[in-house]
Amino acid sequence: MQAGDVIEIDAELAVADDLTAEAMELDVRYEDEHLLILSKPENLVVHPAAGHHDGTLLNGLLHSYPELGQLPRAGIIHRLDKDTTGLMLIARSLPAHTELVRQLQERRIERVYQAIVHGALTAGGAVDRPLGRHPVQRTRMAVVAGGKPARTQYRVLERFRSHTLAGITLETGRTHQIRVHMSWLGYPVAGDRGYGGRPRPPPGCTAELAAALVEFKRQALHACRLSLVHPISGKPVTQEAALPMDMQNLLDLLRQDLRGNGETDGKA
């Protein structure tokens, strides 16, 4: 190679023909020729893996948007856990994919979550602790020395007797990051059996609230806001998604419990 040389590559992306397209109802919140923003329901795996070769979001995307088979991971820019609900970003063109991955790496995509956590948080803050595989339980993540840098910001939105509705912003995007960081902080996400979020009804609460906490079988975590710069037009794009009904119902019961114990407003 010498200065001034030009390299021209006539590349053709391989189609992921080993993945099956499956009909699936998708809750699309924003769509143009370059990107999609959709709201993922609970109990849906994002990408095929061991034990989940079909029935995933990726399979549904390939059915509705066959051209995504030519993009890495069918255009999926980031993931949500199986039982985490909310907004996800999908690229529909290679230039958009390249730019959105760059924005994600440079922390220019704002991802905001709401979570119901155990314990009454007194104030907001940040957790800046590295994450890696749990040294014993390899399917779990943990705060470990030598792990990948991870930073999570949190704030109090509404406080109850023994729970808090927290607003959480990711500065990085590690596997299970919010769940691990909030557990490490001592405020695990309600319903998250894997990271300490087992049922903890407040003393003297109603049987209805106690049952709701016991029967809440997933982490109470929802991706509620997604903001980015459009990868092609350069214009701002923001979408929001209201809390799903199961989290809203649990919040209603927590509010009733608060009022029933002499307090009228738990909002920060």
Side-chain angles (χ1 to χ4, degrees):
M1 292 293 297
Q2 297 180 4
D5 286 353
V6 176
I7 299 177
E8 183 174 326
I9 300 175
D10 184 12
E12 185 173 324
L13 291 171
V15 177
D17 54 8
D18 58 330
L19 297 173
T20 305
E22 300 178 40
M24 182 182 299
E25 185 175 347
L26 301 176
D27 184 3
V28 177
R29 301 301 181 92
Y30 176 94
E31 177 178 358
D32 64 27
E33 61 183 314
H34 293 290
L35 63 86
L36 295 168
I37 297 176
L38 57 83
S39 185
K40 187 187 85 66
E42 65 174 292
N43 196 34
L44 178 62
V45 174
V46 169
H47 193 277
H52 296 283
H53 296 292
D54 51 26
T56 71
L57 175 61
L58 185 147
N59 299 112
L61 286 169
L62 290 178
H63 179 270
S64 297
Y65 305 94
E67 70 277 9
L68 295 182
Q70 298 182 2
L71 297 178
R73 298 186 182 276
I76 295 171
I77 301 299
H78 62 106
R79 299 188 188 189
L80 295 178
D81 294 337
K82 174 185 175 183
D83 285 325
T84 297
T85 56
L87 297 172
M88 287 190 59
L89 179 61
I90 314 295
R92 291 189 66 186
S93 67
L94 186 57
H97 185 277
T98 301
E99 173 58 21
L100 290 173
V101 168
R102 180 182 295 114
Q103 287 189 32
L104 192 66
Q105 291 173 340
E106 295 175 353
R107 305 180 185 181
R108 292 190 286 128
I109 297 177
E110 182 187 45
R111 291 171 291 164
V112 180
Y113 295 71
Q114 290 186 359
I116 301 173
V117 302
H118 288 294
L121 276 164
T122 56
V127 180
D128 194 348
R129 291 291 185 276
L131 297 180
R133 289 289 172 187
H134 192 285
V136 177
Q137 299 172 302
R138 304 301 292 174
T139 59
R140 296 177 56 197
M141 306 299 287
V143 172
V144 293
K148 294 181 179 180
R151 182 175 172 85
T152 304
Q153 295 185 26
Y154 61 92
R155 62 191 181 97
V156 176
L157 299 179
E158 197 168 352
R159 189 182 298 108
F160 309 103
R161 286 204 296 147
S162 60
H163 294 78
T164 303
L165 175 63
I168 299 173
T169 302
L170 286 177
E171 292 191 22
T172 54
R174 309 304 179 195
T175 301
H176 299 177
Q177 178 173 322
I178 293 173
R179 299 165 61 190
V180 177
H181 271 174
M182 295 310 293
S183 179
W184 178 88
L185 193 65
Y187 298 89
V189 177
D192 189 356
R193 305 300 195 268
Y195 292 102
R198 63 188 180 280
R200 302 177 194 176
C205 73
T206 65
E208 186 179 9
L209 174 56
L213 288 167
V214 170
E215 294 167 5
F216 206 94
K217 299 299 185 182
R218 71 175 185 93
Q219 60 267 14
L221 181 61
H222 176 69
C224 63
R225 178 183 171 90
L226 189 61
S227 295
L228 62 140
V229 174
H230 193 283
I232 306 302
S233 71
K235 296 180 179 179
V237 177
T238 297
Q239 287 292 311
E240 296 185 352
L243 285 174
M245 191 60 67
D246 60 348
M247 287 182 66
Q248 190 59 62
N249 289 341
L250 183 56
L251 284 175
D252 289 342
L253 291 172
L254 290 169
R255 290 174 184 133
Q256 292 173 19
D257 175 74
L258 191 67
R259 290 193 297 268
N261 283 270
E263 299 184 49
T264 58
D265 187 2
K267 293 185 178 179

